[in-house]
Amino acid sequence: MKIAMLQINACLAQPEKNSRVIEAAYLEAIRLGAALVVTPELAVPGYIPDDKLFEPNLRRAIEKENYRLQAITGSVPLVFGTCSPTGSGKLWSELWWCEHGKLRIKTRKAFLADFDSYDESRYFESAKSQQNVLDYLNKKIGLLIGENLHDSFENLIQAGVTLIVNVTASTCALGSYVPEGRNPSWALPSKSKQRCEFLSRQAKTYAAPILYINRVGADGNLLFDGDSCLTLPDGTQQCGETFNTGIFIVDTDEQGAVRIDESDDEGVWLHKALSMGIKDNLTKQSIEGVIIGLSGGVDSAVVAALAAGAICPKKILGVALPTRFTSKKSVELARQQAQLLGINYLELDADVIFASAASSLLSALPNRQFGLTDENLQSRSRGMLLLALTSEPAIHSQLGTNRCAVLNTGNKSEVAVGYFTLYGDAIGAFGVIGDLVKKRVYTLAHVSGDSIPEQVINRSPTAELRPAQTDESSLIPYRQLDAIVGALIEANRPIECVYDDLAEVLDGQDLLQARNALPRIQKLIIKSEFKRRQLPFALKVTHRGFGSGMRIPLTGIYS
């Protein structure tokens, strides 16, 4: 049987737009010879429009499009994910099987996702009983939604099912960070690897093919990789593409292939994921112009390179913001970075604002000495200027739009320990690399080709807020900090285990220093939560990012 997997990028709370996309794809799939056409979970309303789902107008629009899609079906069934109201005021997450203009079967989601960034119980009821088995073209087909697959597989096989169709909206995630060449016992594999191994194991065990259809696209911090596939009873797979929309035709009567996990090449995988995240979030938020502070360092260079690949470079403004502590080399590299990418470039003197603020403090506090306050003032001077540019008519003219926003350039290692300044380098519409430890930022830089100067990659990271400052002298070496973040945060290892866990990823002085720093780093992670709450969201590419996936209370934790 030829089946069309409609790997679509549904827009949140836009059922009319989504249903038109589904209709066009359905008709094209029939032209391509599909005998069955299937969409991802909640393809009509989008996954997931949050509290918009409580609005009566949206619910009526969803209902209207459900019946419109039902009416356009012919002899080839269309199976689409949608929702409808329950008696309690919540909704059912549903899968409608429609053919010949009629609804043949309606399956409801039984096991709701309430973990990490998922909060489905807020909006949906869990179905206690459901119809999810039907006969079609000499096959007995079982229908499952989302996480149902893990709990209901055996029940379907006992019911005689010969093909399982699972629709979902599953976010992507790299495995927990570990240094290259290490394979610690506690590391978490990537989500795509977990999916592949599970589907292959189940298909082999029960001798039944599994059709897995996932959505693609980005909405806020959540990134969906698609990665839809048909897994055959021998464990091989026929796969669609990752991070791309499309109509992917698979055939239960054809051979599959052994899957190669794309996430094994972290740099390429991250480039695809974050490029999609930038493009989708800008488009869906109607942001057309981007402003990026260029420091001459690797973080801002990687963000600028990703943005220039995701949208038109002429819609991007790179800004150097030197103060008295900024080296000429930093400004030179920022300018060179902009030229390589073909983006607009501007230099603004942030020292004027810093000097004025410092002078004001000195007049009121004549005995004060240069210190952390002055470092924060420099960062906030830069943040103020970047935000000022978003509403400046001359910049609108240069970028060809008044819909402009700043992109945040902070990385996960620094965010974890609070090594950033509120209202300074913490600003932005969203964080591009905020879920990447520093080493992964360098990995991205290396796959960016000639778009990032080699000197940017090779120089020591520094905020240049005081003489001879480097990031690692203010913190600990990034190779040590990244290892701690990978174990403690991304793999969610208990603190009492991390001391021993580090021995699987570090050696010698690195291991000794990381262990000695562990209590301090843990305290910084906890004490910095109030700062992270005020950060823009970051594109989520790991199992455990900051925000809804890692909830630390603001009170009662310091004692």
Side-chain angles (χ1 to χ4, degrees), residues 7-273:
Q7 192 167 283
I8 63 174
N9 185 356
C11 296
L12 301 185
Q14 297 185 47
E16 298 92 341
K17 181 176 181 178
N18 295 334
S19 73
R20 297 295 175 182
V21 171
I22 294 169
E23 178 184 8
Y26 169 68
L27 296 175
E28 176 63 13
I30 293 173
R31 190 189 69 79
L32 294 172
L36 177 63
V37 182
V38 190
T39 80
E41 179 179 4
L42 292 173
V44 174
Y47 189 96
I48 191 171
D50 294 331
D51 285 7
K52 293 282 290 182
L53 284 172
F54 294 127
E55 296 180 5
N57 285 343
L58 178 59
R59 292 189 175 196
R60 283 191 289 269
I62 294 169
E63 180 182 35
K64 177 183 176 183
E65 297 308 316
N66 289 345
Y67 288 115
R68 195 188 70 78
L69 286 174
Q70 173 188 317
I72 61 121
T73 58
S75 58
V76 175
L78 172 63
V79 185
F80 61 91
T82 187
C83 58
S84 62
T86 70
S88 69
K90 292 186 178 182
L91 297 156
W92 301 114
S93 176
E94 297 177 331
L95 194 57
W96 286 31
W97 179 299
C98 300
E99 56 184 283
H100 296 294
K102 296 180 180 179
L103 174 62
R104 183 174 173 188
I105 192 171
K106 181 190 295 184
T107 297
R108 290 172 173 166
K109 190 170 185 176
F111 298 97
L112 302 178
D114 289 304
F115 57 88
D116 191 48
S117 299
Y118 296 97
D119 191 19
E120 291 183 356
S121 292
R122 179 176 176 86
Y123 308 105
F124 300 105
E125 289 279 357
S126 175
K128 304 305 178 188
S129 61
Q130 56 182 315
Q131 290 182 307
N132 63 342
V133 177
L134 75 166
D135 294 312
Y136 177 68
L137 295 185
N138 300 316
K139 293 185 183 294
K140 189 177 284 290
I141 299 176
L143 304 177
L144 295 172
I145 305 174
E147 299 304 311
N148 290 29
L149 182 63
H150 300 272
D151 298 277
S152 302
F153 194 97
E154 191 166 344
N155 291 336
L156 289 177
I157 296 300
Q158 290 174 354
V161 163
T162 57
L163 170 65
I164 290 178
V165 174
N166 176 227
V167 304
T168 188
S170 179
T171 54
C172 61
L174 279 180
S176 54
Y177 170 76
V178 296
E180 189 175 356
R182 303 287 185 146
N183 187 27
S185 58
W186 46 262
L188 289 178
S190 69
K191 188 177 279 190
S192 60
K193 186 170 291 185
Q194 290 176 337
R195 283 184 203 136
C196 179
E197 291 177 354
F198 175 81
L199 292 169
S200 294
R201 184 172 62 252
Q202 296 295 76
K204 286 179 180 178
T205 300
Y206 296 105
I210 306 170
L211 185 74
Y212 172 88
I213 302 176
N214 188 23
R215 69 153 291 189
V216 72
D219 288 296
N221 68 316
L222 300 182
L223 307 186
F224 301 86
D225 56 347
D227 206 21
S228 303
C229 64
L230 173 68
T231 306
L232 299 168
D234 62 359
T236 61
Q237 295 181 324
Q238 299 171 25
C239 299
E241 298 178 14
T242 55
F243 303 111
N244 278 321
T245 59
I247 302 169
F248 301 108
I249 304 293
V250 293
D251 194 331
T252 57
D253 298 320
E254 296 290 334
Q255 292 289 317
V258 176
R259 176 70 176 276
I260 298 174
D261 186 22
E262 290 187 23
S263 66
D264 286 343
D265 190 337
E266 287 192 358
V268 173
W269 188 94
L270 282 169
H271 195 280
K272 287 183 179 181

Side-chain angles (χ1 to χ4, degrees), residues 229-458:
C229 64
L230 173 68
T231 306
L232 299 168
D234 62 359
T236 61
Q237 295 181 324
Q238 299 171 25
C239 299
E241 298 178 14
T242 55
F243 303 111
N244 278 321
T245 59
I247 302 169
F248 301 108
I249 304 293
V250 293
D251 194 331
T252 57
D253 298 320
E254 296 290 334
Q255 292 289 317
V258 176
R259 176 70 176 276
I260 298 174
D261 186 22
E262 290 187 23
S263 66
D264 286 343
D265 190 337
E266 287 192 358
V268 173
W269 188 94
L270 282 169
H271 195 280
K272 287 183 179 181
L274 295 176
S275 296
M276 179 192 74
I278 293 170
K279 185 174 182 179
D280 259 18
N281 270 290
L282 295 180
T283 301
K284 293 176 180 179
Q285 295 183 54
S286 298
I287 299 171
E288 298 171 343
V290 164
I291 298 170
I292 302 169
L294 294 178
S295 66
V298 69
D299 291 344
S300 61
V302 164
V303 171
L306 287 168
I311 64 173
C312 175
K314 297 303 179 185
K315 297 289 185 181
I316 302 171
L317 174 64
V319 187
L321 299 148
T323 67
R324 65 194 67 179
F325 302 112
T326 305
S327 67
K328 291 182 179 179
K329 190 65 175 177
S330 294
V331 177
E332 178 187 328
L333 288 173
R335 186 185 304 114
Q336 185 180 344
Q337 179 68 71
Q339 290 172 347
L340 281 172
L341 296 175
I343 65 176
N344 300 285
Y345 178 73
L346 184 67
E347 289 178 20
L348 292 177
D349 185 0
D351 203 70
V352 175
I353 298 174
F354 163 59
S356 177
S359 175
S360 182
L361 281 174
L362 187 62
S363 64
L365 305 168
N367 296 321
R368 73 177 297 269
Q369 300 295 314
F370 182 93
L372 180 62
T373 300
D374 300 270
E375 295 181 32
N376 289 337
L377 281 174
Q378 291 172 74
S379 182
R380 289 176 179 135
S381 298
R382 290 168 174 153
M384 183 170 69
L385 287 171
L386 287 173
L387 288 175
L389 293 174
T390 65
S391 56
E392 184 60 38
I395 300 303
H396 297 166
S397 177
Q398 187 176 21
L399 299 183
T401 178
N402 63 357
R403 299 284 301 172
C404 301
V406 176
L407 290 186
N408 182 272
T409 60
N411 66 69
K412 189 174 191 173
S413 301
E414 295 165 3
V415 167
V417 295
Y419 191 63
F420 59 91
T421 303
L422 285 177
Y423 325 117
D425 54 348
I427 64 165
F430 57 90
V432 176
I433 57 172
D435 201 24
L436 271 62
V437 296
K438 190 72 170 185
K439 175 59 178 176
R440 281 176 166 163
V441 178
Y442 280 105
T443 299
L444 262 177
H446 285 296
V447 301
S448 297
D450 297 330
S451 61
I452 297 178
E454 196 68 27
Q455 291 180 72
V456 170
I457 298 174
N458 293 334

